Amino acid sequence: MTGGAGRGGGRLPGPGRGLGDAAAGERTASAAAAVGCGAGPSAPAAGGSISILGSDDATTCHIVVLRHTGNGATCLTHCDGTDTKAEVPLIMSSIKSFSDHTQCGRLEVHLVGGFSDDRQLSQKLTHQLLKLNDREENENHFPIIYGIAVNIKTAEIYRASFHDRGPEEQLRAARALAGGPNLSTSPLAEPPHFVEHIRSTLMFLKKFPSPANILFPGNKALLYKKNEDGLWEKISPGS
């Protein structure tokens, strides 16, 4: 399994470009500039004489790379599943120790490793590592972060919630509700506004049981665009 976030410079090379093409041969890091680690310990770095961090021999193990985009502080660890709960906070604190005075930047994480082994150890370890957005309250589990936003100009990704969900919100919600099998996949973990949102959507469906005939006269689409003030305004088809 592989995973990554951020711009092209932070992703693993694809086939034909080194690391992504095992058949073409793996890269051998220069010993003078590289630090390798096996299962268990982590290797943090922030410049200096170290230019490459790495690890290999990962079968069911997972190699985790955590990097701060602001100052380049990077931590690589080889997780074997023995104490994942303690290892994740350890690599987070290692990066934060380099990043305390950085005013901008974000954390990027990459996971590599694991396969469909008979004992399903890889799957178990993946689950342990990805169980980072979970909090427990009164023996119930909830997400820590419910939403994010991305700035397409700067590539900044940050935690977010939205009060304005765009034009025809009830109509779009009704379409999604009518076409799906459930009101919620996780009713106990829904945010506070969820019940009111569902109630409003059901009232909309009750008011417009056949919206195609009323809301789409002539079977024409509803078209909107954003004006110079950043507000949505309705436009006629083809304009």
Side-chain angles (χ1 to χ4, degrees), residues 125-143:
L125 180 54
T126 300
H127 178 73
Q128 291 174 347
L129 288 170
L130 295 181
K131 197 171 63 174
L132 303 179
N133 192 42
D134 180 82
R135 63 180 177 88
E136 189 173 349
E137 184 178 320
N138 297 326
E139 298 184 350
N140 293 319
H141 290 264
F142 301 86

Side-chain angles (χ1 to χ4, degrees), residues 140-216:
N140 293 319
H141 290 264
F142 301 86
I144 298 173
I145 298 176
Y146 280 87
I148 63 170
V150 56
N151 186 322
I152 62 175
K153 295 181 179 179
T154 65
E156 179 189 7
I157 300 174
Y158 53 92
R159 186 173 181 171
S161 60
F162 300 89
H163 301 293
D164 180 3
R165 299 175 183 272
E168 306 291 350
E169 178 186 353
Q170 288 184 327
L171 176 60
R172 292 184 290 114
R175 180 180 183 273
L177 184 63
N182 299 306
L183 294 178
S184 170
T185 58
S186 53
L188 293 178
E190 294 293 347
H193 63 264
F194 177 78
V195 173
E196 180 56 36
H197 171 71
I198 292 296
R199 182 184 293 113
S200 174
T201 304
L202 292 174
M203 292 297 293
F204 179 87
L205 285 169
K206 182 179 179 180
K207 183 178 180 180
F208 301 104
S210 301
N213 300 328
I214 301 174
L215 302 178
F216 300 94

Side-chain angles (χ1 to χ4, degrees), residues 15-228:
R17 289 179 289 172
L19 290 175
D21 190 356
E26 299 173 344
R27 292 184 181 179
T28 302
S30 169
V35 173
C37 74
S42 60
S49 60
I50 302 300
S51 60
I52 295 173
L53 298 176
S55 185
D56 58 5
D57 296 340
T59 55
T60 60
C61 299
H62 287 24
I63 300 169
V64 182
V65 178
L66 188 65
R67 180 177 182 272
H68 192 281
T69 63
N71 62 5
T74 304
C75 184
L76 180 145
T77 187
H78 189 128
C79 296
D80 59 6
T82 55
D83 197 7
T84 309
K85 189 174 183 180
E87 191 134 12
V88 170
L90 180 63
I91 63 175
M92 291 290 292
S93 62
S94 295
I95 289 296
K96 288 180 179 179
S97 68
F98 288 111
S99 309
D100 286 343
H101 304 293
T102 301
Q103 299 299 317
C104 60
R106 66 180 185 278
L107 292 178
E108 294 181 341
V109 63
H110 302 262
L111 303 180
V112 179
F115 68 106
S116 297
D117 61 282
D118 294 337
R119 298 171 62 190
Q120 296 188 338
L121 297 176
S122 298
Q123 292 90 326
K124 181 180 178 180
L125 180 54
T126 300
H127 178 73
Q128 291 174 347
L129 288 170
L130 295 181
K131 197 171 63 174
L132 303 179
N133 192 42
D134 180 82
R135 63 180 177 88
E136 189 173 349
E137 184 178 320
N138 297 326
E139 298 184 350
N140 293 319
H141 290 264
F142 301 86
I144 298 173
I145 298 176
Y146 280 87
I148 63 170
V150 56
N151 186 322
I152 62 175
K153 295 181 179 179
T154 65
E156 179 189 7
I157 300 174
Y158 53 92
R159 186 173 181 171
S161 60
F162 300 89
H163 301 293
D164 180 3
R165 299 175 183 272
E168 306 291 350
E169 178 186 353
Q170 288 184 327
L171 176 60
R172 292 184 290 114
R175 180 180 183 273
L177 184 63
N182 299 306
L183 294 178
S184 170
T185 58
S186 53
L188 293 178
E190 294 293 347
H193 63 264
F194 177 78
V195 173
E196 180 56 36
H197 171 71
I198 292 296
R199 182 184 293 113
S200 174
T201 304
L202 292 174
M203 292 297 293
F204 179 87
L205 285 169
K206 182 179 179 180
K207 183 178 180 180
F208 301 104
S210 301
N213 300 328
I214 301 174
L215 302 178
F216 300 94
N219 199 31
K220 295 181 179 179
L222 301 179
L223 300 179
Y224 289 82
K225 71 175 182 179
K226 277 204 167 186
N227 59 28
E228 295 179 354

